């Protein structure tokens, strides 16, 4: 456990005596209120706020933030009031702690309304004071570092949430050091088999590749010395998750990832950066398409650097980043390197531009009432990579990866988007659903007679474009929905022997509109036209009381019969091991693309004619589904039920290896349903085994033991879909 003296020593290097005294005071107070509390690990609870404040000190944050790190759980876990903190530590510290407390603990499997609301709170807290989220990220990082003390199901749920929310948020704030640690720790619990494989590969590379690293560093330093450029060079192994991400995106094995080491050249000026780039390209041949200039076009999180990949010594691909000392600080510490806390106000004018993405989110977050739509839009606008494009005037706009000319049009102005009829990219006409690339020059062609199309919703990426298109459609279709609703009510009214037109004239429909919480009869008609409520729901309120009583008796009897049928069906669903929130009487199937097993975070997709298809939450196919057709599902079945899973093994082609594998799986109570194998000239055999397991813990325990067999070089979880691609 870290000691307060270590934190104070680091803080003394850049803070004055009064600031250090505030941190010391916060420590004493935190030790007092958390006295007697322990963590799941058995350590004193105080170890957690100490570690959080240590992370904040490493980021060189101000005394108020470090003090808030020491006190961040005081309100939630000890009953201390915010006013007490204000009295002892001042307005700033109390406000940060209060902001962290209000965000609350988010759970990946919680109701979407609750999760969306927590994210909204986080975004609003960031807008008021960015230090709130810095404390929250430090808190999450230490919780991830001690995640081994949680049960396996919680480990996976918390890791999934970290990868989907907290890591991308750290990326947006430029907190590289925190982001990579969150990524690696999340992968460790989500894919322990892959994590271990890459970790072992990196360990071997460190042993055998240090000579090569020293050779490249020596050559780069030689170039600096020969040309009189002052600077320093370092080389580092890439992080585990970044290697995994590359393997996934390019469908590579670990052995096929060549550029495992990234080299950095850190110089004094921007002029030196471009000069060094030219010298490197003169010494080694650059790879086409692998150069990126983030100095002239910085990323939205303030990151600046020149990136190039060259063919280095021995024909190996070498990735080199060139930046100034200031750029390096921002690359490592992001917003923490930039922020000056003279007061607790919001963003300063200079920083408004850097955090325009946050302003955009604040602009539309209130417009998206559907929680699934809110979360889907957030992940696109906030958490995806960016492309940088030029307007006809030469202005640079950053848009999410995959953005189209329609997204560009709406980012210019709503009216430009609403009347967009065509687009030119780099002077050539392109379809409106074309994906923009870095450096594209985009020109929008407008026509006052052109209106937004519902088809645009299929390809636009930004929340602004999506909300503006939907607003237009709602406005334009309102008149049609009112007319349709009126027609439906009159038609159903004739069947029920009710004169609806007469009821409207004599004012009988107005109270019904109020009952449904609509402001006017037109709103009620529109709701019927949009199928938000049925004509029968409205017309029943115009029936005489005697007729209603008679129908109620018949309905009650029918409901009781239906309830019995539902209970029978629910028993069937439970046996399948899945509970569906708010949905009954439905067929459940498991997706073959990702083969979920108990313990995996899951989500349900309402298919057409095939019931609910259950996928893992991180399945690549889920990202393509319409949010409105996703439902909350959870594991809630018989522990004796077995589930299909697929594993891939790379092993020595030797006599008796298969017997060892099958015996081990049998000992672990894992049934082999089917399998296939292929051998290569190097004396290796690849096995694809379709097995049956009880849950994810059962699966990963078996994989762990398989990987320990002497002749098994690799054992990882795969899917039936991936396995077919290997055959």
């Amino acid at each position: 456990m870290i000691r307060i003296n270590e934190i104070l020593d680091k803080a003394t290097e850049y803070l004055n005596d009064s600031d250090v005294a505030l941190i010391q005071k916060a420590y004493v107070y935190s030790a007092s209120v958390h006295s007697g509390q322990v963590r799941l690990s058995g350590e004193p609870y105080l170890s957690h706020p100490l570690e959080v404040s240590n992370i904040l000190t490493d980021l060189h944050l101000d005394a108020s933030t470090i003090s808030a790190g020491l006190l961040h759980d005081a309100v939630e876990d000890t009953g201390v009031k915010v006013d007490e903190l204000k009295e002892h530590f001042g307005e700033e510290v109390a406000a940060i702690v209060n902001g962290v407390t209000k965000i609350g603990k988010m759970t990946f499997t919680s109701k979407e309304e609750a999760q969306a609301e927590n994210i909204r709170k986080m975004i609003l807290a960031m807008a008021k004071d960015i230090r709130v989220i810095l404390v929250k990220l430090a808190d999450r990082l230490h919780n991830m570092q001690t995640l081994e003390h949680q049960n396996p199901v919680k480990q996976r749920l918390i890791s999934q949430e970290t990868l989907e929310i907290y890591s991308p948020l750290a990326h947006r704030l430029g907190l590289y050091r925190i982001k990579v640690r969150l990524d690696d720790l999340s992968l460790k619990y989500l894919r322990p088999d892959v994590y271990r494989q890459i970790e072992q590969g990196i360990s071997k590379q460190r042993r055998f590749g240090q000579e090569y690293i020293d050779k490249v560093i020596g050559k780069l330093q030689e170039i600096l010395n020969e040309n009189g450029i002052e600077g320093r060079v370092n080389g580092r192994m890439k992080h585990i998750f970044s290697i995994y991400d590359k393997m996934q995106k390019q469908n590579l094995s670990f052995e096929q990832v060549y550029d495992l080491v990234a080299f950095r050249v850190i110089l004094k000026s921007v002029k030196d950066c471009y000069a060094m780039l030219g010298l490197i390209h003169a010494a080694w041949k650059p790879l086409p398409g692998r150069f990126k200039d983030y100095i002239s076009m910085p990323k939205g999180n303030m990151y600046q650097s020149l990136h190039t990949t060259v063919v280095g010594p021995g024909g190996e691909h070498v990735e080199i980043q060139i930046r100034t000392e200031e750029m390096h600080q921002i690359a490592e510490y992001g917003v923490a390197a930039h922020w000056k806390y003279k007061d607790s106000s919001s963003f300063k004018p200079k920083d408004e531009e850097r955090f325009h993405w946050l302003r955009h989110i604040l602009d539309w977050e209130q417009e998206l009432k559907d929680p699934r739509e809110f979360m889907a839009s957030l992940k696109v606008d906030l958490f995806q990579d960016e492309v940088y494009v030029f307007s006809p005037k030469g202005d640079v706009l950053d848009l999410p990866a995959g953005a189209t000319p329609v997204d560009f049009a709406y980012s210019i102005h709503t009216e430009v988007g609403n009347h967009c009829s065509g687009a030119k990219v780099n002077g050539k006409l392109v379809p409106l659903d074309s994906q923009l690339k870095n450096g594209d020059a985009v020109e929008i062609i407008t026509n006052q007679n052109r209106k937004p199309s519902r088809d645009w919703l299929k390809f636009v990426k930004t929340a602004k474009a999506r909300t503006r298109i939907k607003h237009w459609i709602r406005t334009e279709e309102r008149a049609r929905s009112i007319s349709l609703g009126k027609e439906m009510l009159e038609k159903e009214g004739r069947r029920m022997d009710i004169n609806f037109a007469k009821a409207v004239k004599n004012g009988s429909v107005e109270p019904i509109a109020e009952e449904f919480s609509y402001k006017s009869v037109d709103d009620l008609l529109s709701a019927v036209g949009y199928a938000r409520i049925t004509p029968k729901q409205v017309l029943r309120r115009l029936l005489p009381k005697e007729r209603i009583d008679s129908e109620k008796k018949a309905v009650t009897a029918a409901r009781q019969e239906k309830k019995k049928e539902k209970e029978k069906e629910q028993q069937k669903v439970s046996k399948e091991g899945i509970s569906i929130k708010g949905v009954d009487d439905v067929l459940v199937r498991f997706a073959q693309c990702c083969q979920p097993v108990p313990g995996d975070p899951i989500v349900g997709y309402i298919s057409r004619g095939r019931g609910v298809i259950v996928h893992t939450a991180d399945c690549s196919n889920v990202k393509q589904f319409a949010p409105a057709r996703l439902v909350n599902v959870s594991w809630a079945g018989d522990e004796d039920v077995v589930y299909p899973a697929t594993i891939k093994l790379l092993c020595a082609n030797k006599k008796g290896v298969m017997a060892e594998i099958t015996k081990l799986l049998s000992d672990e109570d894992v049934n082999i349903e089917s399998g296939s194998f292929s051998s290569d000239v190097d004396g290796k055999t690849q096995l694809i085994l379709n097995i049956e397991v009880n849950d994810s813990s059962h699966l990963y325990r078996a994989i762990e033991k398989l990987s320990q067999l002497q002749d098994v070089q690799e054992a990882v979880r795969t899917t039936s879909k991936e396995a077919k691609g290997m055959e």
Side-chain angles (χ1 to χ4, degrees):
M1 183 173 93
I2 189 138
R3 304 290 180 184
I4 186 61
N5 288 340
E6 297 173 59
I7 296 169
L8 295 176
D9 287 344
K10 285 191 279 188
T12 304
E13 294 175 7
Y14 69 96
L15 295 175
N16 60 40
D17 291 345
S18 61
D19 287 338
V20 174
L22 179 67
I23 297 170
Q24 173 73 44
K25 182 180 177 183
Y27 163 72
V28 173
Y29 190 90
S30 181
S32 173
V33 297
H34 287 298
S35 177
Q37 294 180 341
V38 293
R39 305 195 83 211
L40 287 175
S41 62
E43 286 186 300
Y45 193 88
L46 185 63
S47 64
H48 174 60
L50 275 169
E51 292 290 353
V52 169
S53 63
N54 184 50
I55 293 167
L56 298 170
T57 307
D58 286 340
L59 292 173
H60 280 207
L61 292 172
D62 66 319
S64 295
T65 311
I66 298 169
S67 299
L70 286 163
L71 301 164
H72 76 277
D73 279 335
V75 174
E76 187 174 353
D77 292 343
T78 70
V80 170
K81 304 298 181 187
V82 174
D83 287 342
E84 291 179 50
L85 295 181
K86 193 184 299 182
E87 181 183 337
H88 286 90
F89 302 99
E91 184 78 38
E92 249 186 307
V93 174
I96 297 171
V97 173
N98 191 35
V100 175
T101 304
K102 281 185 176 179
I103 290 172
K105 295 179 179 178
M106 294 161 40
T107 307
F108 183 75
T109 54
S110 64
K111 289 182 181 178
E112 280 144 324
E113 290 83 356
Q115 189 184 27
E117 186 56 33
N118 278 328
I119 297 293
R120 281 192 172 106
K121 286 178 184 176
M122 190 179 288
I123 298 299
L124 292 170
M126 286 167 64
K128 290 176 183 175
D129 193 331
I130 204 76
R131 293 173 291 179
V132 171
I133 204 61
L134 296 180
V135 175
K136 190 66 182 171
L137 285 169
D139 173 53
R140 175 51 62 112
L141 176 56
H142 184 244
N143 283 334
M144 288 297 296
Q145 289 170 338
T146 54
L147 198 59
E148 72 268 17
H149 301 292
Q150 293 282 3
N151 66 61
V153 173
K154 274 200 171 183
Q155 286 174 350
R156 292 176 62 76
L157 293 176
I158 293 170
S159 298
Q160 187 73 38
E161 175 189 85
T162 299
L163 206 55
E164 290 206 345
I165 303 296
Y166 288 98
S167 168
L169 196 52
H171 169 71
R172 264 297 196 176
L173 293 172
L175 298 167
Y176 173 78
R177 289 192 171 195
I178 288 181
K179 176 196 164 12
V180 295
R181 288 155 81 186
L182 290 175
D183 283 341
D184 284 357
L185 288 165
S186 297
L187 184 65
K188 180 179 179 179
Y189 293 102
L190 288 172
R191 292 300 306 271
D193 50 340
V194 174
Y195 181 90
R196 185 179 56 254
Q197 176 201 353
I198 298 173
E199 187 179 41
Q200 290 170 351
I202 289 175
S203 179
K204 290 178 184 176
Q205 197 76 17
R206 280 201 183 99
R207 290 201 302 271
F208 302 118
Q210 190 58 48
E211 185 179 337
Y212 185 83
I213 294 171
D214 294 341
K215 186 175 182 180
V216 173
I217 290 175
K219 178 62 177 176
L220 290 169
Q221 195 65 55
E222 183 184 317
I223 293 172
L224 289 175
N225 296 339
E226 287 178 354
N227 292 275
I229 300 174
E230 189 179 347
R232 57 192 175 93
V233 183
N234 61 50
R236 59 162 183 82
M237 281 286 178
K238 289 187 176 179
H239 290 272
I240 292 175
F241 185 86
S242 65
I243 296 171
Y244 166 75
D245 194 44
K246 185 169 186 175
M247 289 165 62
Q248 289 292 103
K249 287 178 179 176
Q250 299 182 23
N251 195 26
L252 303 173
S253 67
F254 179 80
E255 289 73 20
Q256 293 172 308
V257 180
Y258 295 109
D259 48 349
L260 292 173
V261 182
F263 295 89
R264 290 189 187 135
V265 183
I266 301 167
L267 307 169
K268 294 295 183 183
S269 68
V270 172
K271 180 182 175 183
D272 288 344
C273 291
Y274 285 101
M276 186 62 181
L277 176 71
L279 293 167
I280 290 171
H281 284 180
W284 292 313
K285 184 179 178 181
L287 286 179
R290 295 291 295 274
F291 168 67
K292 292 177 183 176
D293 185 349
Y294 293 120
I295 291 181
S296 60
M297 287 195 297
K299 290 187 178 183
N301 62 4
M302 307 175 291
Y303 177 88
Q304 288 183 285
S305 196
L306 297 176
H307 289 197
T308 187
T309 302
V310 298
V311 181
E316 296 285 347
H317 293 180
V318 177
E319 182 183 308
I320 303 170
Q321 300 167 2
I322 310 166
R323 60 179 71 145
T324 65
E325 286 284 359
E326 183 184 359
M327 291 173 191
H328 181 62
Q329 288 301 307
I330 294 169
E332 293 291 299
Y333 299 105
V335 65
H338 251 279
W339 214 256
K340 303 298 180 186
Y341 302 108
K342 293 178 182 176
D343 54 49
S344 58
S345 62
S346 183
F347 298 107
K348 299 168 180 59
K350 183 181 178 183
D351 292 306
E352 282 282 355
E353 194 174 328
R354 293 191 184 101
F355 294 96
H356 65 280
W357 52 271
L358 180 53
R359 293 299 179 195
H360 286 168
I361 292 167
L362 291 171
D363 286 342
W364 56 256
E365 65 97 12
Q366 292 297 336
E367 296 180 33
L368 297 174
K369 300 303 179 186
D370 179 74
R372 283 193 181 278
E373 190 177 350
F374 170 76
M375 293 301 292
S377 297
L378 183 75
K379 288 172 185 177
V380 171
D381 269 32
L382 179 57
F383 300 152
Q384 284 197 0
D385 290 336
E386 298 164 311
V387 293
Y388 299 88
V389 295
F390 295 94
S391 72
K393 294 181 180 179
D395 296 328
V396 178
L397 283 82
D398 61 303
L399 297 168
T404 65
V406 175
D407 293 294
F408 177 88
Y410 276 103
S411 70
I412 299 295
H413 195 279
T414 299
E415 284 303 302
V416 175
N418 284 345
H419 300 295
C420 173
S421 62
K424 288 183 179 180
V425 174
N426 303 324
K428 295 181 181 179
L429 282 169
V430 298
L432 290 178
D433 62 352
S434 303
Q435 292 193 0
L436 301 176
K437 299 181 180 66
N438 273 322
D440 282 346
V442 187
E443 180 185 348
I444 300 299
I445 302 166
T446 59
N447 184 334
Q448 289 304 308
N449 296 321
R450 181 63 189 264
K451 312 296 181 191
S453 166
R454 186 180 289 276
D455 289 339
W456 291 359
L457 293 172
K458 296 176 183 177
F459 57 76
V460 293
K461 292 293 182 183
T462 59
K464 182 176 182 181
R466 191 173 294 106
T467 53
R468 296 296 183 266
I469 294 165
K470 287 184 175 180
H471 176 72
W472 176 275
I473 291 170
R474 282 196 296 267
T475 303
E476 289 294 298
E477 290 186 348
R478 179 172 167 78
R480 182 173 173 273
S481 66
I482 290 172
S483 175
L484 178 61
K486 185 177 180 182
E487 182 184 332
M488 292 167 67
L489 284 161
E490 288 178 349
K491 183 178 179 181
E492 182 67 17
R494 288 192 291 272
R495 195 184 69 79
M496 296 175 66
D497 198 22
I498 296 172
N499 188 331
F500 183 74
K502 183 179 178 181
V504 172
K505 285 181 182 178
N506 64 29
S508 301
V509 181
E510 289 179 9
I512 298 174
E514 290 180 15
E515 188 180 340
F516 280 102
S517 300
Y518 292 112
K519 294 178 181 178
S520 66
V521 173
D522 278 354
D523 287 345
L524 179 69
L525 296 176
S526 177
V528 174
Y530 273 120
R532 294 191 182 108
I533 54 175
T534 65
K536 191 172 285 187
Q537 285 176 287
V538 176
L539 293 168
R540 280 185 57 78
R541 283 158 174 78
L542 294 171
L543 289 173
K545 186 178 183 304
E546 299 79 16
R547 185 171 165 184
I548 291 173
D549 290 342
S550 173
E551 288 184 359
K552 273 185 179 178
K553 291 179 181 178
V555 169
T556 301
R559 280 180 179 171
Q560 287 176 345
E561 184 62 31
K562 192 173 182 180
K563 185 179 178 182
K564 291 178 182 178
E565 292 176 5
K566 282 185 180 180
E567 286 173 353
K568 289 178 182 178
E569 186 62 29
Q570 281 179 321
Q571 288 175 2
K572 176 187 173 185
V573 171
S574 176
K575 287 177 183 176
E576 290 170 336
I578 293 294
S579 172
I580 306 176
K581 184 73 175 176
V583 179
D584 297 322
D585 203 18
V586 68
L587 179 65
V588 175
R589 298 173 185 268
F590 293 99
Q592 289 303 305
C593 54
C594 53
Q595 293 181 308
V597 297
D600 289 338
I602 52 174
V603 65
Y605 172 67
I606 303 173
S607 66
R608 289 190 173 93
R610 297 175 61 209
V612 172
I613 311 295
V614 179
H615 292 259
T616 59
D618 59 353
C619 176
S620 58
N621 288 332
V622 171
K623 298 172 185 176
Q624 303 169 20
F625 297 152
R629 293 174 65 187
L630 297 174
V631 294
N632 281 334
V633 296
S634 59
W635 297 105
D638 189 342
E639 293 182 359
D640 294 332
V641 175
V642 291
Y643 297 84
T646 306
I647 57 175
K648 179 182 78 170
L649 298 137
L650 188 65
C651 53
N653 189 355
K654 290 167 56 178
K655 184 177 179 181
V657 173
M658 179 65 83
E660 273 190 277
I661 292 169
T662 54
K663 182 180 185 303
L664 187 148
L665 290 175
S666 176
D667 291 344
E668 289 298 312
D669 199 24
V670 174
N671 180 48
I672 302 174
E673 193 178 42
S674 61
S676 62
F677 70 92
S678 59
S679 300
D680 59 29
V681 293
D682 295 331
K684 294 178 184 176
T685 296
Q686 179 175 272
L687 296 174
I688 304 295
L689 299 179
N690 299 311
I691 60 175
E692 292 177 335
V693 294
N694 297 328
D695 53 33
S696 60
S697 297
H698 188 196
L699 171 62
Y700 286 118
R701 187 169 62 249
I703 290 174
E704 171 70 28
K705 294 200 173 182
L706 284 169
S707 67
Q708 292 171 3
L709 292 176
Q710 184 177 350
D711 293 316
V712 174
Q713 298 171 18
E714 178 184 309
V716 294
R717 179 182 182 180
T718 183
T719 65
S720 56
K721 183 179 178 182
E722 291 172 343
K724 285 179 182 177
M726 299 170 194
E727 293 173 356

